[in-house]
Amino acid sequence: MGFSKPKSAHDTFIMTDLTQPFKRLPVAVIGTGSYVPERRLTNADLEKMVDTSDEWIITRTGIQERRIAAPDERTSDMATKAARRALESAGVSAEELDLIIVATITPDTFTPSTACYVQNNIGAKNAAAFDISAACSGFLFALKTAVQYVGCGQAGHALIIASEKLSTVVNWEDRSTCVLFGDGAGAAVLRSGGRPGDGAVLASDIGSDGTLHDLLQIPGGGSACPTTVENVHERLATLAMRGNETFKHAVSHMRDSANSLIERAGIDPGDIKLVIPHQANLRIINAVAQRLRIPSDRVFVNLYKYGNTSAAAVAIAFDEARREGRFGKGDIVLLVTFGAGLTWSSAAIRW
Ligand code: COA
């Protein structure tokens, strides 16, 4: 028995016949969407908040402005908007979804998951929904996870979303971090099959190194350091980063992940139409592209207008690049990310 349309999410998980030889299905990305909040926070605005300058921020990071969510705008609200756009571009209804995965480090609440809020918002009543936490690598961790479900016939349609309201975990008095981050969301719809026009997932790679957990972290607010009046004053529930070391690991891990993926998938680097890297710092992007020997006109950059939106960054970039026509039918796109954990990930998609 192969995959056939289940009546409910529960059915999805009992319909695989384990007596039959396992046959892996091709998995395709069939739609993308993204959303960024309206409010822009420019470098000139930040000059009024901390001891910094437009010139320093642009030279060291490439960022000109970032988007900030409204106070009452939740991570799930942004995720929902990106999800609706992805479903529309895929031509898939919410009821057809079997799986929703949200990658975020800024969930609406510790529990329930942000994915469950999204499921309710869009009316995806047949979907199982859960969150994953892999920081800036989260979208491609979600992709790899969804590929396993769809490729094994355990889900017909999967929705993956990365959404972050980083403005709630930024220390707005710390100039070394507050200039870097922004809010936003991106999403994609996956299904099995290699129909014409589908974006086939050729290969994906994920990796982690927990020995370097202290390079980039939010130390407070979890079970290790529960919120108290004192540690709120000490800003322990905000992002803390060792920037220089993070920079070096970002470059080497993105290079290594992309190279191993290219080799494993048997891709000629000359055939890659577009590299879509994590949008953290223009100098990191340039260094990775140089090491991969990909010219800058084949590297997608939008961080100058959004900053680093963690997991959402590569998802928003993927959607924008597709809508701008930066890749088309038959083109190979390489996505590569890096984040706290440490974590890294890459994926090759033939559109
Ligand atoms: N405005 C002005 N000066 C600033 C500043 C700011 N916003 N932030 C830091 N500085 C100062 C520092 O205090 C330091 O001053 P000092 O020399 O008097 O001590 C100086 O600028 C240099 O700081 P440094 O941290 O060495 O700068 P850098 O060139 O490494 O750039 C980052 C800092 C954060 C931009 C860079 O390290 C980086 O991008 N790291 C990776 C970040 C990242 O990608 N994180 C997410 C991973 S998913």
Side-chain angles (χ1 to χ4, degrees), residues 90-169:
V92 168
S93 72
E95 290 196 358
E96 288 177 274
L97 294 173
D98 304 302
L99 182 67
I100 300 173
I101 305 176
V102 173
T104 186
I105 56 164
T106 48
D108 290 21
T109 51
F110 277 161
T111 194
S113 69
T114 300
C116 282
Y117 293 120
V118 174
Q119 181 207 24
N120 181 44
N121 290 346
I122 64 175
K125 61 182 185 190
N126 297 315
F130 60 88
D131 288 0
I132 61 165
S133 174
C136 304
S137 307
F139 185 66
L140 298 187
F141 271 63
L143 176 87
K144 177 114 187 160
T145 307
V147 162
Q148 309 313 311
Y149 281 92
V150 176
C152 296
Q154 297 285 300
H157 289 95
L159 171 66
I160 56 168
I161 310 168
S163 185
E164 301 286 16
K165 189 172 178 182
L166 293 178
S167 56
T168 58
V169 293

Coordinates of all heavy atoms in Angstrom, one line a residue, residues 90-169:
A90 N 1.2 27.6 -3.7 CA 1.3 26.1 -4.0 C -0.1 25.6 -4.6 O -0.1 24.5 -5.1 CB 1.6 25.3 -2.7
G91 N -1.1 26.4 -4.4 CA -2.5 26.0 -4.8 C -3.0 24.8 -3.9 O -3.6 23.9 -4.4
V92 N -2.6 24.9 -2.6 CA -3.0 23.8 -1.7 C -3.9 24.4 -0.6 O -3.6 25.6 -0.1 CB -1.7 23.2 -1.1 CG1 -2.0 22.3 0.1 CG2 -0.9 22.4 -2.1
S93 N -4.9 23.8 -0.2 CA -5.8 24.3 0.9 C -5.2 23.8 2.2 O -4.5 22.8 2.3 CB -7.2 23.8 0.7 OG -7.3 22.4 1.0
A94 N -5.6 24.6 3.3 CA -5.1 24.2 4.6 C -5.5 22.8 5.0 O -4.8 22.1 5.7 CB -5.6 25.3 5.6
E95 N -6.7 22.5 4.6 CA -7.2 21.1 5.0 C -6.5 20.0 4.3 O -6.6 18.8 4.8 CB -8.7 21.0 4.6 CG -9.6 21.9 5.5 CD -11.1 21.6 5.4 OE1 -11.4 20.7 4.6 OE2 -11.8 22.3 6.1
E96 N -5.7 20.3 3.3 CA -4.9 19.2 2.6 C -3.6 19.0 3.4 O -2.9 18.0 3.0 CB -4.6 19.6 1.2 CG -5.8 19.5 0.2 CD -5.4 20.0 -1.1 OE1 -5.5 21.2 -1.4 OE2 -5.0 19.2 -2.0
L97 N -3.3 19.8 4.4 CA -2.0 19.6 5.1 C -2.1 18.5 6.1 O -3.0 18.4 6.8 CB -1.6 20.9 5.8 CG -1.3 22.1 4.9 CD1 -1.1 23.4 5.8 CD2 0.0 21.9 4.1
D98 N -1.0 17.7 6.1 CA -0.9 16.6 7.1 C 0.1 16.9 8.2 O 0.1 16.3 9.2 CB -0.4 15.3 6.4 CG -1.3 14.9 5.2 OD1 -2.5 14.7 5.5 OD2 -0.8 14.9 4.1
L99 N 0.9 18.0 7.9 CA 2.0 18.3 8.8 C 2.3 19.8 8.8 O 2.4 20.3 7.7 CB 3.2 17.4 8.4 CG 4.5 17.5 9.2 CD1 4.3 16.9 10.6 CD2 5.6 16.8 8.5
I100 N 2.5 20.3 10.0 CA 3.0 21.7 10.1 C 4.2 21.7 11.0 O 4.1 21.3 12.2 CB 1.9 22.7 10.6 CG1 0.7 22.7 9.7 CG2 2.5 24.1 10.7 CD1 -0.5 23.5 10.2
I101 N 5.3 22.2 10.5 CA 6.5 22.4 11.4 C 6.9 23.9 11.4 O 7.0 24.5 10.4 CB 7.7 21.6 10.9 CG1 7.3 20.1 10.7 CG2 8.8 21.7 11.9 CD1 8.4 19.2 10.1
V102 N 7.0 24.4 12.6 CA 7.4 25.8 12.8 C 8.8 25.8 13.4 O 9.0 25.2 14.5 CB 6.5 26.6 13.6 CG1 7.0 28.0 13.9 CG2 5.1 26.8 12.9
A103 N 9.8 26.4 12.8 CA 11.1 26.6 13.4 C 11.1 28.0 14.0 O 10.9 29.0 13.3 CB 12.2 26.5 12.3
T104 N 11.4 28.1 15.3 CA 11.5 29.4 15.9 C 12.3 29.3 17.2 O 12.3 28.2 17.9 CB 10.1 29.9 16.2 OG1 10.2 31.3 16.7 CG2 9.3 29.1 17.2
I105 N 12.9 30.4 17.6 CA 13.5 30.5 18.9 C 12.7 31.6 19.7 O 13.1 31.9 20.9 CB 15.0 30.9 18.9 CG1 15.3 32.2 18.2 CG2 15.8 29.7 18.4 CD1 16.6 32.8 18.4
T106 N 11.7 32.1 19.1 CA 10.8 33.1 19.8 C 9.4 32.7 19.7 O 8.5 33.4 19.1 CB 11.0 34.5 19.2 OG1 10.9 34.4 17.8 CG2 12.4 35.1 19.6
P107 N 9.0 31.5 20.3 CA 7.7 31.0 20.2 C 6.7 32.0 21.0 O 7.1 32.7 21.9 CB 7.7 29.6 20.9 CG 8.9 29.7 21.8 CD 9.9 30.6 21.1
D108 N 5.4 31.9 20.6 CA 4.4 32.7 21.3 C 4.5 32.4 22.8 O 4.4 33.3 23.6 CB 3.0 32.4 20.8 CG 2.7 32.8 19.4 OD1 3.7 33.1 18.6 OD2 1.5 32.9 19.1
T109 N 4.5 31.1 23.1 CA 4.5 30.6 24.5 C 5.4 29.3 24.5 O 5.6 28.7 23.4 CB 3.1 30.2 24.9 OG1 2.5 29.3 23.9 CG2 2.1 31.4 25.0
F110 N 5.9 29.0 25.7 CA 6.6 27.7 25.8 C 5.8 26.5 25.4 O 6.2 25.6 24.7 CB 7.2 27.5 27.2 CG 8.5 28.2 27.5 CD1 8.9 28.5 28.8 CD2 9.2 28.7 26.5 CE1 10.0 29.1 29.1 CE2 10.4 29.4 26.7 CZ 10.8 29.6 28.0
T111 N 4.5 26.6 25.8 CA 3.6 25.6 25.3 C 2.2 26.2 25.4 O 1.9 27.0 26.2 CB 3.7 24.3 26.2 OG1 3.0 23.2 25.6 CG2 3.1 24.5 27.6
P112 N 1.3 25.9 24.4 CA 1.5 25.0 23.3 C 2.5 25.6 22.2 O 3.0 26.7 22.3 CB 0.1 24.9 22.7 CG -0.6 26.1 23.1 CD 0.0 26.5 24.4
S113 N 2.8 24.8 21.3 CA 3.8 25.2 20.2 C 3.2 26.2 19.3 O 1.9 26.4 19.2 CB 4.1 23.9 19.4 OG 3.0 23.5 18.6
T114 N 4.0 27.0 18.7 CA 3.6 28.0 17.8 C 2.9 27.4 16.6 O 1.9 27.9 16.0 CB 4.8 28.9 17.3 OG1 5.4 29.5 18.5 CG2 4.4 30.0 16.3
A115 N 3.3 26.2 16.2 CA 2.7 25.4 15.1 C 1.2 25.2 15.4 O 0.4 25.2 14.5 CB 3.5 24.1 14.9
C116 N 0.9 24.9 16.6 CA -0.5 24.7 17.0 C -1.4 25.9 16.8 O -2.5 25.9 16.4 CB -0.7 24.1 18.4 SG -0.2 22.3 18.4
Y117 N -0.8 27.1 17.2 CA -1.5 28.3 16.9 C -1.7 28.6 15.5 O -2.8 29.0 15.0 CB -0.7 29.5 17.5 CG -0.6 29.5 19.0 CD1 0.6 29.5 19.6 CD2 -1.7 29.6 19.8 CE1 0.8 29.5 21.0 CE2 -1.6 29.6 21.2 CZ -0.4 29.6 21.8 OH -0.2 29.6 23.2
V118 N -0.7 28.3 14.7 CA -0.8 28.5 13.2 C -1.9 27.5 12.7 O -2.7 27.9 11.8 CB 0.5 28.2 12.5 CG1 0.4 28.3 11.0 CG2 1.6 29.2 12.9
Q119 N -1.8 26.3 13.1 CA -2.8 25.3 12.7 C -4.2 25.8 12.9 O -5.1 25.7 12.0 CB -2.6 24.0 13.4 CG -3.6 22.9 13.0 CD -3.9 21.9 14.0 OE1 -3.8 22.1 15.2 NE2 -4.3 20.7 13.6
N120 N -4.5 26.4 14.1 CA -5.8 26.9 14.4 C -6.1 28.1 13.5 O -7.2 28.2 13.0 CB -5.8 27.3 15.9 CG -7.1 27.8 16.3 OD1 -8.2 27.3 16.0 ND2 -7.1 28.9 17.0
N121 N -5.1 29.0 13.3 CA -5.4 30.2 12.5 C -5.8 29.9 11.1 O -6.6 30.6 10.5 CB -4.1 31.1 12.5 CG -3.8 31.7 13.8 OD1 -4.7 31.7 14.7 ND2 -2.6 32.3 14.0
I122 N -5.1 28.9 10.5 CA -5.4 28.6 9.1 C -6.5 27.5 8.9 O -6.9 27.3 7.8 CB -4.1 28.3 8.3 CG1 -3.5 27.0 8.8 CG2 -3.1 29.4 8.3 CD1 -2.2 26.6 7.9
G123 N -6.9 26.9 10.0 CA -7.9 25.8 9.9 C -7.3 24.6 9.2 O -8.1 23.9 8.5
A124 N -6.1 24.2 9.6 CA -5.5 23.0 9.0 C -5.8 21.8 9.9 O -5.0 21.2 10.6 CB -4.0 23.1 8.9
K125 N -7.1 21.4 9.9 CA -7.6 20.5 11.0 C -7.1 19.1 10.8 O -7.2 18.3 11.7 CB -9.1 20.5 11.0 CG -9.8 20.1 9.7 CD -11.3 20.2 9.8 CE -11.9 19.6 8.6 NZ -13.4 19.9 8.5
N126 N -6.5 18.7 9.6 CA -6.0 17.4 9.4 C -4.5 17.3 9.7 O -3.9 16.2 9.5 CB -6.3 16.9 8.0 CG -7.8 16.9 7.7 OD1 -8.5 16.3 8.6 ND2 -8.2 17.4 6.6
A127 N -3.9 18.4 10.1 CA -2.4 18.4 10.3 C -2.0 18.1 11.7 O -2.6 18.6 12.6 CB -1.9 19.7 9.8
A128 N -0.9 17.3 11.8 CA -0.1 17.3 13.1 C 0.8 18.5 13.1 O 1.3 18.9 12.0 CB 0.7 16.0 13.2
A129 N 1.0 19.1 14.2 CA 1.7 20.4 14.3 C 2.7 20.4 15.4 O 2.4 20.0 16.6 CB 0.8 21.6 14.4
F130 N 4.0 20.8 15.1 CA 5.0 20.9 16.2 C 6.1 21.9 15.8 O 6.2 22.2 14.7 CB 5.6 19.5 16.6 CG 6.3 18.8 15.5 CD1 7.6 19.0 15.2 CD2 5.6 17.9 14.7 CE1 8.3 18.4 14.2 CE2 6.3 17.2 13.7 CZ 7.6 17.4 13.4
D131 N 6.8 22.3 16.9 CA 7.9 23.3 16.6 C 9.2 22.6 16.7 O 9.3 21.5 17.3 CB 7.9 24.3 17.8 CG 6.8 25.3 17.7 OD1 6.0 25.2 16.8 OD2 6.8 26.2 18.6
I132 N 10.2 23.2 16.0 CA 11.6 22.7 16.2 C 12.5 23.9 16.6 O 12.1 25.1 16.2 CB 12.2 22.0 15.0 CG1 12.2 22.8 13.8 CG2 11.4 20.7 14.7 CD1 13.1 22.3 12.7
S133 N 13.6 23.7 17.3 CA 14.4 24.8 17.7 C 15.8 24.5 17.2 O 16.5 23.5 17.7 CB 14.4 24.8 19.2 OG 15.4 25.7 19.7
A134 N 16.3 25.2 16.2 CA 17.6 25.0 15.7 C 18.2 26.4 15.3 O 19.0 26.5 14.4 CB 17.7 24.1 14.5
A135 N 17.7 27.4 16.0 CA 18.1 28.8 15.8 C 18.1 29.2 14.3 O 17.1 28.8 13.6 CB 19.5 29.0 16.4
C136 N 19.1 29.9 13.8 CA 19.1 30.4 12.4 C 19.1 29.3 11.4 O 18.8 29.5 10.2 CB 20.3 31.3 12.2 SG 20.4 32.6 13.4
S137 N 19.4 28.0 11.8 CA 19.4 26.9 10.9 C 18.0 26.3 10.8 O 17.8 25.3 10.1 CB 20.4 25.8 11.3 OG 21.7 26.4 11.4
G138 N 17.0 26.8 11.6 CA 15.8 26.1 11.8 C 15.0 25.8 10.6 O 14.3 24.7 10.5
F139 N 15.0 26.7 9.6 CA 14.1 26.4 8.4 C 14.6 25.2 7.6 O 13.8 24.4 7.2 CB 14.1 27.7 7.5 CG 13.2 27.6 6.3 CD1 11.8 27.5 6.5 CD2 13.7 27.5 5.0 CE1 10.9 27.4 5.4 CE2 12.8 27.4 3.9 CZ 11.5 27.3 4.1
L140 N 15.9 25.0 7.5 CA 16.4 23.9 6.8 C 16.4 22.6 7.6 O 16.3 21.5 7.1 CB 17.8 24.1 6.2 CG 17.9 25.3 5.2 CD1 19.3 25.4 4.5 CD2 16.8 25.2 4.1
F141 N 16.4 22.8 9.0 CA 16.1 21.6 9.8 C 14.7 21.2 9.6 O 14.4 20.0 9.6 CB 16.4 21.9 11.3 CG 17.8 21.7 11.7 CD1 18.9 22.4 11.2 CD2 18.1 20.7 12.7 CE1 20.2 22.2 11.6 CE2 19.4 20.5 13.2 CZ 20.4 21.2 12.6
A142 N 13.8 22.1 9.5 CA 12.3 21.8 9.3 C 12.2 21.2 7.9 O 11.4 20.2 7.8 CB 11.5 23.1 9.4
L143 N 12.9 21.7 6.9 CA 12.8 21.1 5.6 C 13.3 19.6 5.6 O 12.6 18.7 5.1 CB 13.7 21.9 4.6 CG 13.8 21.3 3.2 CD1 12.6 21.9 2.3 CD2 15.1 21.7 2.5
K144 N 14.4 19.4 6.2 CA 14.9 18.0 6.3 C 14.0 17.1 7.0 O 13.7 16.0 6.6 CB 16.3 18.0 7.0 CG 16.9 16.7 7.2 CD 18.2 16.5 6.4 CE 18.7 15.1 6.4 NZ 19.6 14.9 5.3
T145 N 13.4 17.6 8.1 CA 12.4 16.8 8.9 C 11.2 16.5 8.0 O 10.7 15.3 7.9 CB 12.0 17.5 10.1 OG1 13.1 17.9 10.9 CG2 11.1 16.7 11.0
A146 N 10.6 17.5 7.3 CA 9.4 17.3 6.5 C 9.7 16.4 5.3 O 8.9 15.6 5.0 CB 8.9 18.7 6.0
V147 N 11.0 16.5 4.8 CA 11.3 15.6 3.7 C 11.2 14.1 4.1 O 10.8 13.2 3.4 CB 12.7 15.9 3.1 CG1 13.3 14.8 2.3 CG2 12.7 17.2 2.3
Q148 N 11.6 13.8 5.4 CA 11.5 12.4 5.9 C 10.1 12.0 5.9 O 9.7 10.9 5.5 CB 12.1 12.3 7.3 CG 13.5 12.9 7.4 CD 14.5 12.5 6.3 OE1 14.6 11.3 6.0 NE2 15.2 13.5 5.8
Y149 N 9.2 12.8 6.4 CA 7.7 12.4 6.5 C 7.1 12.3 5.1 O 6.5 11.3 4.9 CB 7.0 13.5 7.3 CG 7.1 13.5 8.8 CD1 8.1 14.2 9.4 CD2 6.2 12.7 9.5 CE1 8.2 14.1 10.8 CE2 6.3 12.6 10.9 CZ 7.3 13.3 11.5 OH 7.4 13.3 12.9
V150 N 7.4 13.2 4.2 CA 6.8 13.2 2.9 C 7.4 12.1 2.1 O 6.7 11.3 1.4 CB 6.9 14.6 2.2 CG1 6.4 14.5 0.8 CG2 6.2 15.6 3.0
G151 N 8.7 11.9 2.2 CA 9.5 10.9 1.4 C 9.1 9.5 1.8 O 9.2 8.6 1.0
C152 N 8.7 9.3 3.1 CA 8.3 8.0 3.5 C 6.8 7.7 3.4 O 6.3 6.7 3.8 CB 8.7 7.8 5.0 SG 10.4 7.9 5.3
G153 N 6.1 8.7 2.8 CA 4.7 8.5 2.6 C 3.9 8.7 3.9 O 2.7 8.4 4.0
Q154 N 4.5 9.3 4.9 CA 3.8 9.6 6.2 C 3.0 10.9 6.2 O 2.3 11.2 7.1 CB 4.8 9.6 7.3 CG 5.5 8.3 7.5 CD 4.6 7.2 8.2 OE1 4.1 7.4 9.3 NE2 4.3 6.2 7.5
A155 N 3.3 11.7 5.1 CA 2.5 13.0 5.0 C 2.4 13.3 3.5 O 3.4 13.1 2.8 CB 3.2 14.1 5.7
G156 N 1.2 13.7 3.1 CA 1.1 14.0 1.6 C 1.5 15.4 1.4 O 2.3 15.7 0.4
H157 N 1.1 16.4 2.2 CA 1.5 17.8 2.1 C 2.0 18.2 3.4 O 1.3 18.0 4.5 CB 0.3 18.7 1.7 CG -0.2 18.5 0.3 ND1 -1.2 17.7 0.0 CD2 0.3 19.0 -0.9 CE1 -1.4 17.7 -1.3 NE2 -0.5 18.5 -1.9
A158 N 3.1 18.9 3.4 CA 3.7 19.4 4.7 C 4.0 20.9 4.5 O 4.4 21.4 3.4 CB 5.0 18.7 5.0
L159 N 3.7 21.7 5.6 CA 4.0 23.1 5.6 C 5.1 23.4 6.5 O 5.0 23.0 7.7 CB 2.7 23.8 6.0 CG 2.8 25.3 6.3 CD1 3.1 26.1 5.0 CD2 1.5 25.9 6.9
I160 N 6.2 24.0 6.0 CA 7.3 24.3 7.0 C 7.3 25.9 7.0 O 7.2 26.6 6.0 CB 8.6 23.7 6.6 CG1 9.0 24.1 5.1 CG2 8.6 22.2 6.7 CD1 10.5 23.8 4.8
I161 N 7.5 26.4 8.3 CA 7.5 27.8 8.5 C 8.7 28.2 9.4 O 9.0 27.4 10.3 CB 6.2 28.3 9.2 CG1 5.0 27.7 8.5 CG2 6.1 29.8 9.3 CD1 3.7 27.9 9.3
A162 N 9.3 29.3 9.1 CA 10.3 29.8 10.1 C 9.8 31.2 10.4 O 9.5 32.0 9.5 CB 11.7 29.9 9.5
S163 N 9.6 31.5 11.7 CA 9.0 32.8 12.1 C 9.7 33.3 13.4 O 9.9 32.5 14.3 CB 7.5 32.7 12.4 OG 7.0 33.9 12.6
E164 N 10.1 34.5 13.4 CA 10.9 35.0 14.6 C 10.4 36.5 14.9 O 10.3 37.3 14.1 CB 12.4 35.1 14.3 CG 13.0 33.8 13.9 CD 13.2 32.8 15.1 OE1 12.6 33.0 16.2 OE2 14.0 31.8 14.9
K165 N 10.2 36.7 16.2 CA 10.0 38.0 16.8 C 11.2 38.3 17.7 O 11.1 38.3 18.9 CB 8.7 38.1 17.5 CG 8.3 39.6 17.9 CD 6.9 39.7 18.5 CE 6.6 41.1 18.9 NZ 5.3 41.3 19.5
L166 N 12.4 38.5 17.0 CA 13.6 38.6 17.7 C 13.7 39.9 18.5 O 14.4 40.0 19.5 CB 14.8 38.6 16.8 CG 15.1 37.2 16.1 CD1 16.2 37.3 15.1 CD2 15.3 36.1 17.1
S167 N 12.9 40.9 18.1 CA 12.8 42.2 18.8 C 12.5 42.0 20.3 O 12.8 42.9 21.1 CB 11.9 43.2 18.2 OG 10.6 42.6 18.1
T168 N 11.8 40.9 20.6 CA 11.5 40.6 22.0 C 12.6 40.0 22.9 O 12.5 39.9 24.1 CB 10.2 39.7 22.1 OG1 10.5 38.5 21.5 CG2 9.0 40.3 21.5
V169 N 13.7 39.5 22.2 CA 14.8 38.9 22.9 C 16.1 39.7 22.7 O 17.2 39.2 23.0 CB 14.9 37.4 22.6 CG1 13.8 36.6 23.1 CG2 15.2 37.2 21.1

